[in-house]
Amino acid sequence: MLTITEKAQAEVARYFESNAVKPIRVFLNNNCCGAHLAMSLDEAQPDDRTFEVAGIQYLVNEHFLAQAEPIEIDFAPQGFKITSS
């Protein structure tokens, strides 16, 4: 399951007011500071689960989703906050 809060939906819609609408991938990003959930623009792949919220497609790899769900995307003054249980 993927949940997008109203604040996050509004911020995504604001971004796409001046940019081409593309699917948003939610994924686990590994870097020198450790692993954290992230988002980026991407195209759907065969092993993705697609969620459509307010006309925007969100993509999550099926295998990753099985390990990370539920995932929630929120927006705070510092930016997007992506959490999983």
Side-chain angles (χ1 to χ4, degrees), residues 20-71:
V21 176
K22 294 185 178 182
I24 298 173
R25 177 168 303 282
V26 179
F27 63 99
L28 185 64
N29 185 26
N30 291 303
N31 60 29
C32 61
C33 298
H36 65 278
L37 293 170
M39 299 187 312
S40 68
L41 301 178
D42 200 1
E43 296 298 325
Q45 300 298 317
D47 57 349
D48 286 339
R49 173 117 179 248
T50 302
F51 299 87
E52 187 163 328
V53 179
I56 305 297
Q57 289 186 338
Y58 293 84
L59 312 170
V60 185
N61 176 278
E62 287 275 357
H63 300 290
F64 174 67
L65 181 63
Q67 297 172 5
E69 70 180 334
I71 298 172

Side-chain angles (χ1 to χ4, degrees), residues 11 34 62 85:
E11 200 60 32
E62 287 275 357
S85 296

